[in-house]
Amino acid sequence: MNSQWEAVIGLEIHTQLATKSKIFSGAATAYGAEPNTQACAVDLGLPGVLPVLNKDAVRKAVTFGLAIDAEIAPQSVFARKNYFYPDLPKGYQISQFELPIVGNGHLDIEVDGETKRIGITRAHLEEDAGKSLHEDFHGLTGIDLNRAGTPLLEIVSEPDMRSAKEAVAYMRKLHELVRYLEICDGNMQEGSFRCDANVSVRPKGQKEFGTRAEIKNINSFKFVEKAINHEIERQIDLIEGGGRVVQETRLYDANKDETRSMRSKEEANDYRYFPDPDLLPVLIEQSLKDEIRATLPELPEAKKQRFLEQYALDLESATTLTSSRELADFYESVASLSGGAAKLAANWLTGDVLGALNKASLEISDSPVSAERLAGLLKRIADNTISGKTAKQVFDKLWNGSASADEIIEQDGLVQITDTGAIEAIVDKVIAANPVPVEQYRAGKDKALMALVGQVMKETQGKASPGEVNKMLIEKLKV
Amino acid sequence: MHNKTLTELAAGLRSKQFSSVELTQTFLQRIRQHQQLNAFITVSEETALQQAQAADAALSSSQGGVLTGIPIAQKDIFCTLGSKTSCGSKMLDNFIAPYDATVVANFNHAGAVMLGKLNMDEFAMGSSNETSFYGPVRNPWDTDCVPGGSSGGSAAAVAARLAPAVTGTDTGGSIRQPAALCGITGLKPTYGRVSRYGMIAYASSLDQGGPMTRSAEDAALLMQVMAGFDAKDSTSVEQPVPDYSASLNDSLQGLKIGLPKEFFTAELDSHIAAAIHAAVAEYQKLGAEVVEVSMPNLQLAIPAYYVIASAECSSNLSRYDGVRFGYRCQNPEDLSDLYTRSRGEAFGSEVKRRILMGTYALSAGYYDAYYLKAQQVRRLISDDFKRALADVDVLMGPVTPSTAFRIGEKTGDPIQMYLEDIYTIAINLAGLPAMSIPAGFVDGKPVGLQVIGNYFSEAKLLNIGHRYQQVTDWHQQVPKGFE
């Protein structure tokens, strides 16, 4: 970014709450059903139907509020946001306007090793609309109302972010949090976690905000970064070229990597918000807050601190391992089942296991190697039954089969030779058979030792401990 | 048979004096015979006779309750599974409801027979039944006159003995005003007492369904079926339902009646005022005490109502967009054309007027001055009632400023039409229950007495109505030609 400009970014993130039924009806929320098969009379907005609030959606919103240390409104009110659109069945969306359920809170992010606190202005409950499908209908539009009435929590940040990188860090942190809390499945492809970004620029040092543009519906971390960076550049170019930014809504086109205008402020709807007379105010008692607070899981930050202390991990490992609740749980199982090989478990998980999962595009929950089977392997490394190198072969077999580490080690005869006498005999044999590297080593060429170690390992079929062999050779070759 | 009370009909069915099928046929025959009243939008002859047969079978094995086999009719605002539910509008002329309203389901469960769906002002917006897409309903007492509205078909059907009892809905007087103009008994329950699920919304914070019958005694039987908590309606109230018939004969000795002085002003027809005072005198004979009370904010009720009701209706009626159900214009050019013409062609002028008023009242820059102000006024009016009802048991007054007017007389002047509801609207704003009972005639046209009670005092109101009907016979008068 041009250094005399500063970007100001705020995000509105729509998280789909993982309730079984919709926010105001009993219809299922499952994704991917045949069009219009998960829309009941209430979702269709038929004459005479009435909304009834889903308690679980309220609990999930409160859970979120408590986790970001926010004020939970003792009384919040549903309002109607009125506008016409074919996939909005009632001609209004039930949302919260003046009195949202979650008030001021915050979330800490880390960027380039620095911690920054991002304010969260509010989070409110609302219903999702349906989907308009413009293809395959011969110039007409198809409407699928399965999604209509799905509960959303719209989380609105303060304009506290100053770069696309910060915005992404905030979005990732929020994504991690809602999944920790198990209030949202976080599936971005299915639209469970969507982002609108408000972006403006101002000369560095200026207090007032510039005019902002809102970029709608950006559904991946990568696109958020690209879209924001693109928008910042567009605005700077515009101002430097003598123009001025207009307040408008823009759409990000991932294919062209550009944003384009959707509607200006003048064209914006007057939503005519007013309290929904079909719904009573939502009253949250202290007792409900206490009850939910008592069931809150350990949050990512606290878990990371605990990992650092309890398992003596380095910061990077602790950060990686607490990036999702599933991974952290997996790690703790392995660490415990392996009999306390905490560091070894961290190395294996962040290294080989995550590497293999990434390569196969799998989540930790789908790992072919369970925590138990991995722990079985780590135990054998820890007690020196196999070498680290052999362990990698065993891991491959664990990944591709169903046998336990012990079965594989047994079947393939991979037990490390710990009988010093046996190794010594082989070492002596190798020294006798390889006079050239022996001479070179003695003449000060340290590298030659490696060739000898390799020979010993070859003779033992990798079952000797390379460290042990190394030590023994050095001892024997002392002049 | 058609002049019997519900209790008499129930007894007749049980003693096999007549069957439900015979009873149903009698009323179907009367509906056909008096088609010129235009009280019905749909007559469900076939399903009514099926229900009657089922009722007869139940009765012959000594099953069923008081309403089993009794024919009733529903205002066409209640969704009825598998049959047309038009709400008096061209917009829903083709709408077959895919579900039953809770009220309808309750009647079905009680074994009642539904004769058909009753005419009404379009989307319940009107005080004369002249805004109906299906044409005006005629008042059986004078067929050149309106029956009132919006439950005009309901009131005319009961007055003309086309149905022994029916349902209505009341947003600003839509049960009580037509009940008064047609000389029948109509009860608007406390807001939240009767489920609104499946009752097509006009103004959600004011709408309430209730019974329209020939007597308070009959109304008690209908209330027993209609009232109750419904999990499908978040605004329905979880409060036990009393036995409405049990207290009908309670003594009125010591009953404290308040007469709001604001009800008896120059706008009130002096003959109606005289009839109301005569009725109050009758209550004094029954042991009641009368005091004058004041409701200083009452004159603000009409403007506040037309802001709130219009605002809510502008949003409630947005779902009629030609996309999923109801009327759709021919060959729409694009989305905007689809919306504009579907709504433009299918809504009548009164509905459009209120949608526009409501849209205006909610618009940015006007919300505080109109909608918020109206809500503040609403609270003031509720407080007036609370204060008054702290000192007295009930309030009494007129239902309407004049008796039934001629068809076409007020259609050109919406303000005159809105003033029809001057005595009824405030009660909806406060959410209180109120009843209209026949209290005399002026020039051969019925006059209604309004009795307003505290929240959930329906049993008391019915008791007050019933005792009066034990000592008067206004409610037993039958319009000429409908005996």
Side-chain angles (χ1 to χ4, degrees), chain B residues 4 10 48 54 59 78 93 129 179 250 260 363 374 407 432 458 462 468:
Chain B
K4 289 187 192 303
L59 288 166
F78 288 101
D93 185 48
N129 222 296
D250 286 2
S363 293
I407 292 173
L432 292 165
E458 288 81 3
L462 292 165
Y468 180 75

Side-chain angles (χ1 to χ4, degrees), chain B residues 294 296-297 380-392:
Chain B
S294 175
N297 296 296
L380 291 177
I381 290 171
S382 295
D383 290 346
D384 274 3
F385 276 108
K386 265 183 209 144
R387 251 193 314 275
L389 287 166
D391 297 331
V392 300

Side-chain angles (χ1 to χ4, degrees), chain A residues 15-40:
Chain A
T15 49
Q16 182 180 317
L17 296 177
T19 55
K20 288 196 183 72
S21 60
K22 294 188 175 176
I23 184 165
F24 298 119
S25 83
T29 51
Y31 179 83
E34 282 293 298
N36 298 311
T37 55
Q38 286 188 170
C40 68

Side-chain angles (χ1 to χ4, degrees), chain B residues 74-354:
Chain B
Q74 299 281 1
K75 184 175 180 180
D76 207 19
I77 200 167
F78 288 101
C79 285
T80 44
L81 172 67
S83 69
K84 177 161 118 177
T85 301
S86 76
C87 219
S89 181
K90 180 178 180 182
M91 182 58 87
L92 292 178
D93 185 48
N94 65 0
F95 178 65
I96 308 293
Y99 73 102
D100 275 328
T102 296
V103 161
V104 172
N106 289 350
F107 275 107
N108 288 342
H109 186 71
V113 172
M114 191 187 76
L115 296 166
K117 307 291 293 287
L118 295 157
N119 204 346
M120 56 183 285
D121 277 301
E122 184 178 9
F123 284 103
M125 298 179 203
S127 309
S128 67
N129 222 296
E130 292 167 292
T131 71
S132 170
F133 172 62
Y134 301 92
V137 175
R138 293 174 182 276
N139 190 321
W141 293 95
D142 179 345
T143 54
D144 288 335
C145 285
V146 303
S150 67
S151 310
S154 301
V158 172
R161 275 62 176 161
L162 309 187
V166 304
T167 59
T169 62
D170 191 318
T171 305
S174 283
I175 285 176
R176 291 159 288 156
Q177 185 254 13
L181 266 44
C182 290
I184 66 161
T185 300
L187 173 67
K188 180 206 99 73
T190 307
Y191 183 79
R193 176 77 291 185
V194 171
S195 169
R196 293 189 297 116
Y197 188 76
M199 192 178 107
I200 298 179
Y202 156 26
S204 312
S205 74
L206 302 161
D207 296 343
Q208 185 63 204
M212 297 176 76
T213 54
R214 293 211 305 274
S215 67
E217 185 189 12
D218 286 356
L221 293 174
L222 257 67
M223 268 305 281
Q224 209 66 53
V225 169
M226 297 177 79
F229 173 70
D230 180 10
K232 288 187 228 159
D233 174 2
S234 309
T235 61
S236 91
V237 179
E238 211 160 355
Q239 169 116 350
V241 177
D243 181 342
Y244 291 112
S245 300
S247 52
L248 286 174
N249 287 303
D250 286 2
S251 164
L252 299 186
Q253 195 63 47
L255 178 78
K256 236 174 150 184
I257 298 171
L259 297 183
K261 64 176 184 198
E262 290 80 5
F263 274 20
F264 299 90
T265 52
E267 300 93 65
L268 181 64
D269 179 304
S270 60
H271 297 98
I272 293 184
I276 301 304
H277 285 303
V280 170
E282 203 64 55
Y283 277 106
Q284 284 174 309
K285 282 192 227 160
L286 290 169
E289 297 165 35
V290 178
V291 293
E292 189 184 80
V293 297
S294 175
M295 322 258 300
N297 296 296
L298 215 58
Q299 86 281 2
L300 299 172
I302 289 195
Y305 170 88
Y306 276 98
V307 169
I308 293 167
S310 301
E312 291 181 10
C313 96
S314 73
S315 174
N316 281 335
L317 270 61
S318 292
R319 68 191 61 198
Y320 308 109
D321 57 5
V323 173
R324 295 166 314 284
F325 49 77
Y327 181 83
R328 178 186 284 197
C329 67
Q330 294 285 313
N331 305 313
E333 276 172 31
D334 55 24
L335 185 60
S336 164
D337 188 43
L338 169 73
Y339 287 154
T340 313
R341 280 203 290 124
S342 297
R343 290 168 67 79
E345 290 166 17
F347 284 142
S349 58
E350 184 58 32
V351 169
K352 285 178 191 163
R353 185 182 351 258
R354 295 194 196 187

Side-chain angles (χ1 to χ4, degrees), chain A residues 41-42 44-53 80 82-92 98 143 145 270-280, chain B residues 79 92 95 98-99 191 196-200 204-205 231-235 311-312 315-316 318-321 323-325 335 339 343 359 362-364 367 371:
Chain A
V42 174
L44 294 175
L46 288 182
V49 297
L50 296 170
V52 176
L53 179 60
R80 294 186 183 177
N82 294 285
Y83 65 98
F84 284 100
Y85 204 70
D87 59 26
L88 185 71
K90 298 184 294 297
Y92 58 84
E98 280 181 336
I143 307 290
L145 294 175
D270 175 358
Y271 291 120
R272 305 189 311 279
Y273 281 100
F274 74 107
D276 191 329
D278 288 332
L279 290 160
L280 303 177
Chain B
C79 285
L92 292 178
F95 178 65
Y99 73 102
Y191 183 79
R196 293 189 297 116
Y197 188 76
M199 192 178 107
I200 298 179
S204 312
S205 74
K232 288 187 228 159
D233 174 2
S234 309
T235 61
E312 291 181 10
S315 174
N316 281 335
S318 292
R319 68 191 61 198
Y320 308 109
D321 57 5
V323 173
R324 295 166 314 284
F325 49 77
L335 185 60
Y339 287 154
R343 290 168 67 79
T359 304
L362 289 175
S363 293
Y367 180 85
Y371 185 79

